[in-house]
Amino acid sequence: MRHHIAAGRSFATFAKPAEGSAISRLLRVVPTGVLLAGCSLLAGCLDGASDDVEVSETAQYATVSSYTSSGCSTAVVIGLSKQIADEISCQSPTLLKRFEPTTRLQITSSAVLPYLHSTAKTDLEAVASTRTVQINSAFRTLPQQYLLYRWYQQGRCGITAAATPGRSNHQSGRAIDVSNYSTLISAMSAKGWAHDVPGDAVHFDHLSSPDIRGKDVLAFQRLWNRNHPADKIAEDGAYGPQTEARLKQAPATGFAIGPTCMTPNMMFAVDVLSVDGPDRAQPQSRAHYRVTLQNNGQADWPGTAVLRVASGTTQLHDPSWISPTEISDLGAPIAAGTMGEIAFDITTPAVTEETPIFEQLELSDGGSTIGTVNIALTVVPGMEEPTSGEADDQYDAQEVAGGCSATGGGSSSTGVVLGLALVALARRRRR
Ligand SMILES: [Zn+2]
């Protein structure tokens, strides 16, 4: 077990379900202090852990350096990376802008950070207005490059070359890797995207956009200092031993206090009270989910806030959704301090083997993320009838324990998708 979870505000999180397991709730909030660091930490999950377990005063979390010798996906630091990207956008909105996936502009994995300089973004969207563009990689931040470089140094993950942290051309904010590049070279070039790195066929640079390398280092330094007033480092945008030492200790899922232009109460105010839906379903079948949320922030959530797929790609798209990755809006506002519900359908993919699916959903209002909700189900070919998730189990920690019996502590990155918002909320409250 290598993941540690910030303690304080209680919540439960489960790793990816083992084959045949039945888990519908990945993220549950229980009323009082249960510290649950993935299922394997406590035998039988919550067995023996009561609601009033005393948690440590010292918040712990998976640090960036805890991933230097395991895994091969930088998705483990996507939480911290998003904060860095958003911190840059906060400082200068044209320097870095988030782009949204569409039917033609496809993002191929949850490790992709969909941010580019505003000009590069416009020219990418222009290409994708008429052609399918599959993005393997876009903006990359310091913690991602740090891990890639360390893995490369150790000969891990099949990485044959990696720039030192801070120096990757993907940290420039004007680089993308396109998996279906071969049919797109001339269309990309017509929009200013140079196919200019010999031996790196998927790579394109938008050379008329400025190179913002160093801004991610500066953004990290600012985030670190905001969260560690007693251990401030120089905000110089230069990656040296001081910055490296802090980067290693930084929480992979993001700091308690996030980017300046997002108010903490907008970002970190969701408690997921329950997720009701099937644990298992047939391939190509439709399933209904009902998620109950508590608004613990000071701001009301507008009815226009949208629940969407955080990674930008999903196997669960249903025709009832707003777009390929936007599921539904709230419909009715949820006032600060109150509870509300969002219900939606998913359609399971056509698979021939039992397939566990984990999906992180994000509730967002305009550019701000309000919080995250995780769902999981196992698609089971030939099963007799769908099992429904246990209903009416809000606030019931035992139900969480029941759903958690299956997993083994998660060597996969999903073990650490913790509901970033709740982790952050927990840590802030302890200060
Ligand atoms: Zn590249």
Side-chain angles (χ1 to χ4, degrees):
M1 187 68 207
R2 67 171 196 277
H3 306 309
H4 299 282
I5 297 175
R9 175 82 184 164
S10 59
F11 58 89
T13 184
F14 306 151
K16 194 170 187 172
E19 193 172 341
S21 72
I23 297 181
S24 68
R25 287 152 213 88
L26 280 212
L27 175 63
R28 291 290 306 270
V29 175
V30 291
T32 54
V34 176
L35 169 61
L36 178 63
C39 295
S40 68
L41 185 64
L42 302 169
C45 215
L46 280 181
D47 286 352
S50 70
D51 274 2
D52 54 8
V53 171
E54 260 304 308
V55 295
S56 165
E57 280 300 314
T58 310
Q60 289 183 299
Y61 41 74
T63 60
V64 171
S65 66
S66 70
Y67 294 106
T68 48
S69 50
S70 65
C72 286
S73 168
T74 59
V76 292
V77 290
I78 204 78
L80 178 58
S81 296
K82 275 184 175 169
Q83 284 191 338
I84 291 170
D86 287 334
E87 179 70 16
I88 298 169
S89 302
C90 290
Q91 295 302 308
S92 172
T94 59
L95 228 44
L96 204 59
K97 269 189 151 44
R98 186 183 166 99
F99 60 91
E100 299 298 333
T102 65
T103 5
R104 288 205 182 92
L105 184 53
Q106 299 171 0
I107 293 174
T108 61
S109 93
S110 59
V112 175
L113 260 191
Y115 292 80
L116 285 170
H117 183 270
S118 52
T119 314
K121 169 184 182 280
T122 303
D123 279 343
L124 175 63
E125 287 167 343
V127 177
S129 67
T130 55
R131 293 152 192 275
T132 296
V133 184
Q134 294 171 322
I135 307 288
N136 276 349
S137 179
F139 188 50
R140 202 178 289 159
T141 67
L142 184 61
Q144 291 168 303
Q145 190 63 29
Y146 171 80
L147 288 181
L148 290 171
Y149 188 68
R150 293 296 302 272
W151 295 339
Y152 158 68
Q153 284 181 311
Q154 297 170 66
R156 296 188 61 247
C157 304
I159 300 171
T160 52
T164 52
R167 296 314 306 161
S168 165
N169 49 14
H170 280 270
Q171 289 174 274
S172 67
R174 59 177 188 177
I176 49 174
D177 291 345
V178 178
S179 57
N180 60 333
Y181 68 92
S182 59
T183 56
L184 291 172
I185 294 170
S186 64
M188 293 288 284
S189 148
K191 289 292 171 189
W193 285 97
H195 192 237
D196 59 343
V197 180
D200 190 359
V202 294
H203 188 91
F204 292 84
D205 285 303
H206 195 265
L207 296 174
S208 65
S209 293
D211 182 340
I212 67 162
R213 271 178 276 196
K215 294 289 182 190
D216 62 330
V217 179
L218 177 63
F220 172 79
Q221 291 165 338
R222 292 172 57 95
L223 284 160
W224 176 270
N225 287 348
R226 196 173 301 143
N227 285 271
H228 299 88
D231 179 33
K232 289 201 171 186
I233 54 174
E235 296 181 4
D236 57 7
Y239 181 73
Q242 301 264 308
T243 304
E244 180 174 337
R246 274 53 174 207
L247 178 62
K248 288 159 116 174
Q249 301 165 42
T253 51
F255 289 108
I257 306 169
T260 44
C261 60
M262 298 181 189
T263 68
N265 288 318
M266 282 304 291
M267 289 182 69
F268 302 132
V270 173
D271 274 359
V272 181
L273 299 180
S274 70
V275 179
D276 290 316
D279 303 323
R280 296 156 71 84
Q282 296 252 30
Q284 291 181 287
S285 66
R286 197 173 219 195
H288 189 70
Y289 281 83
R290 203 175 80 229
V291 178
T292 309
L293 303 168
Q294 167 88 26
N295 180 348
N296 281 334
Q298 291 172 2
D300 297 348
W301 300 339
T304 52
V306 168
L307 188 67
R308 66 179 181 202
V309 177
S311 69
T313 172
T314 181
Q315 302 179 77
L316 299 177
H317 178 261
D318 184 84
S320 64
W321 291 12
I322 302 168
S323 79
T325 56
E326 292 177 308
I327 299 168
S328 170
D329 58 25
L330 278 180
I334 301 179
T338 67
M339 255 170 32
E341 200 177 271
I342 185 164
F344 56 89
D345 290 332
I346 57 108
T347 295
T348 56
V351 292
T352 51
E353 291 185 342
E354 191 163 306
T355 307
I357 296 179
F358 172 92
E359 203 68 75
Q360 184 172 34
L361 311 179
E362 197 173 76
L363 183 65
S364 65
D365 174 33
S368 316
T369 299
I370 296 172
T372 58
V373 178
N374 298 336
I375 63 167
L377 83 166
T378 303
V379 183
V380 186
M383 65 178 276
E384 289 180 2
E385 53 184 41
T387 55
S388 69
E390 305 87 326
D392 306 314
D393 55 359
Q394 296 178 19
Y395 306 106
D396 185 349
Q398 293 312 307
E399 286 296 323
V400 178
C404 195
S405 57
T407 66
S411 55
S412 74
S413 65
T414 51
V416 81
V417 181
L418 300 179
L420 312 179
L422 292 167
V423 174
L425 177 68
R427 296 178 53 228
R428 198 171 59 246
R429 283 186 179 175
R430 298 195 74 77
R431 282 157 202 267

